[in-house]
Amino acid sequence: TTTTTTTAEPFDLEQLLAGVGDDVIQFVRDQTQISFKDSKNAVGTLLLLLMDRANDPNRLGKAMADALQLEDAELQAGGEDADRLVELLEAVTEISSDSEQRNWSVGDDSAAIATVLEQLEDVLTHANPAVVKNIVRNWASPGQTGRHEIVDTLVRYYQMETRDELRLHMIRILGELIIQDFDVIEVIKFSVLPVEIAKSLANDPWNEATSSLNYYSMLLETMVYADGSPIAYQHYEYLNSDFIQHLLAMIEHKPTSKSQLRIVEQAFALLLAFNRHFSLEDVQSNVVMSTLTTRPCKALGENLMACFNRQADPVAASIGQPAPETFAPQHHSVMKFFVDAFRTRETGHPLLYEGDCNVLIEVLLREIGERASENPVQVDLIQLLSQVVINSVYLDSRFYDEQIQHALVAVKDESIEHETAQSKRARQAAEQALAVIFSV
């Protein structure tokens, strides 16, 4: 008799959870009403405990993964969340249609509508993101086709609804839809909603009664412009210099409460996001930059400097993403703003106090020194350093001239050792920067 011994391969928790599938996690959520994320953590914790106490955790893990595969089609489709989400989408569509047909609000329906919207936001926030994304993309009311119908419905309802409480719910829901599916950005961006929000922000932003609506409206607008893609041309009629002036006034405002502070911070993020879609090569058409020349913007400069020093990106944070790993202006909103602003002395010189300007140069020198010449961002950093020197208040003191020269010469010397196309570009940028900086 021959005995065959089978050795189980190493089996980690992620593999086990993948084997178990979303159906078991969804089952826990349906039974406990905790979020899908918390349900996943609960299942994972239980599995870890069982595997830790087993004599052969690897084999137990495989056995559990096989045993826990449920065949229930309802659970695999999203369980109670899927059913509830469809019901709520139908309810919101009915509410919107009813408002559109009668064109006036019923005085006592606010609570009922708010309840539906609150429940929709709760499901969107706590359900399985994959289930939410699939249903929101593909759900359509009878006789309708196309994707993201509920997004168009919410935008249309927002236009008709005048009650701030209900508008706030809709804005928050649309923001959650973006977090779940970035394709929603394109739908909103080319709708009338960005213009409607811009009009609403023209009102008193410091009114405590509308503070939350103002904040979440700006947050949604920031999300919509976060990707830097083109906007609808006709929107420039309202997203103009007056709009930028209003954002700058909010940024320069000294907040006296936490609610005011978050509005100031979100206005800053929105300005950065809106600036992203303007071409780096065509500063003349950039209404953000042209508006900077019309008023003092010292608080804006301080905020930019604080973010740059920490490598933070408020635009990325607004859509729940980490700051880009690279300082490339195509990806990092703060870097993009600095590159645009320091293209000319008209926009660069009034932006930073001398102390902040010196800190900016210190940060640029540090970043240049930490990167090899083959790093693609090196050219961007060197070019920005050159622009900051000649188009800012730095020329009044020239405190870092020796360090600047040393850093640029080091780039030249290091690039000679690496005869790559990128290192050649870095060397050329360093040579041009030396010529420009020390000729003024």
Side-chain angles (χ1 to χ4, degrees), residues 55-282:
N55 294 327
D56 189 348
N58 291 330
R59 187 171 301 226
L60 175 63
K62 288 183 178 293
M64 290 171 61
D66 292 337
L68 290 172
Q69 292 300 308
L70 300 187
E71 298 299 329
D72 190 329
E74 181 182 358
L75 285 179
Q76 293 178 0
E80 294 178 8
D81 284 332
D83 295 338
R84 187 63 182 139
L85 181 54
V86 169
E87 291 174 2
L88 290 167
L89 297 184
E90 291 172 347
V92 170
T93 301
E94 183 178 350
I95 291 168
S96 174
S97 178
D98 185 47
S99 298
E100 189 172 8
Q101 289 176 20
R102 55 182 164 79
N103 203 30
W104 72 85
S105 61
V106 178
D108 61 355
D109 67 349
S110 293
I113 295 174
T115 298
V116 171
L117 296 174
E118 287 170 0
Q119 290 175 354
L120 176 56
E121 184 180 359
D122 182 75
V123 173
L124 293 174
T125 303
H126 296 112
N128 182 350
V131 170
V132 170
K133 183 175 181 178
N134 180 58
I135 293 177
V136 169
R137 275 190 174 189
N138 299 301
W139 178 84
S141 57
Q144 300 297 317
T145 59
R147 288 190 166 189
H148 299 114
E149 180 189 331
I150 190 60
V151 178
D152 292 326
T153 298
L154 285 165
V155 170
R156 196 165 56 250
Y157 183 32
Y158 177 92
Q159 284 182 272
M160 296 180 294
E161 184 57 72
T162 59
R163 290 166 286 189
D164 289 339
E165 177 195 3
L166 300 182
R167 279 191 153 194
L168 173 59
H169 284 305
M170 286 180 267
I171 291 292
R172 286 170 58 99
I173 288 169
L174 288 167
E176 187 60 40
L177 289 174
I178 287 177
I179 294 297
Q180 301 287 1
D181 183 1
F182 284 168
D183 286 354
V184 171
I185 289 177
E186 198 77 359
V187 181
I188 298 176
K189 181 179 290 185
F190 288 95
S191 74
V192 299
L193 187 60
V195 168
E196 292 295 319
I197 289 177
K199 290 178 181 178
S200 71
L201 293 178
N203 301 322
D204 180 13
W206 314 118
N207 185 345
E208 287 296 325
T210 58
S211 175
S212 290
L213 179 58
N214 291 333
Y215 167 74
Y216 282 105
S217 295
M218 284 194 291
L219 175 59
L220 180 64
E221 198 97 323
T222 304
M223 293 170 136
V224 168
Y225 296 126
D227 65 354
S229 62
I231 71 173
Y233 185 78
Q234 63 269 27
H235 287 184
Y236 287 117
E237 181 181 353
Y238 298 95
L239 303 174
N240 53 22
S241 182
D242 290 340
F243 172 67
I244 302 303
Q245 284 277 17
H246 193 60
L247 291 181
L248 290 173
M250 284 191 274
I251 294 169
E252 298 299 317
H253 176 80
K254 293 183 178 180
T256 58
S257 64
K258 288 184 178 180
S259 61
Q260 288 192 7
L261 176 61
R262 71 174 187 168
I263 286 177
V264 170
E265 292 174 343
Q266 200 55 53
F268 173 61
L270 175 52
L271 184 73
L272 294 182
F274 189 69
N275 185 65
R276 284 208 64 203
H277 83 275
F278 292 105
S279 168
L280 283 162
E281 288 72 35
D282 186 15

Side-chain angles (χ1 to χ4, degrees), residues 355-368:
D356 286 331
C357 187
N358 286 338
V359 173
L360 176 57
I361 290 176
E362 285 181 7
V363 174
L364 287 170
L365 290 174
R366 180 190 71 204
E367 295 295 328
I368 291 170

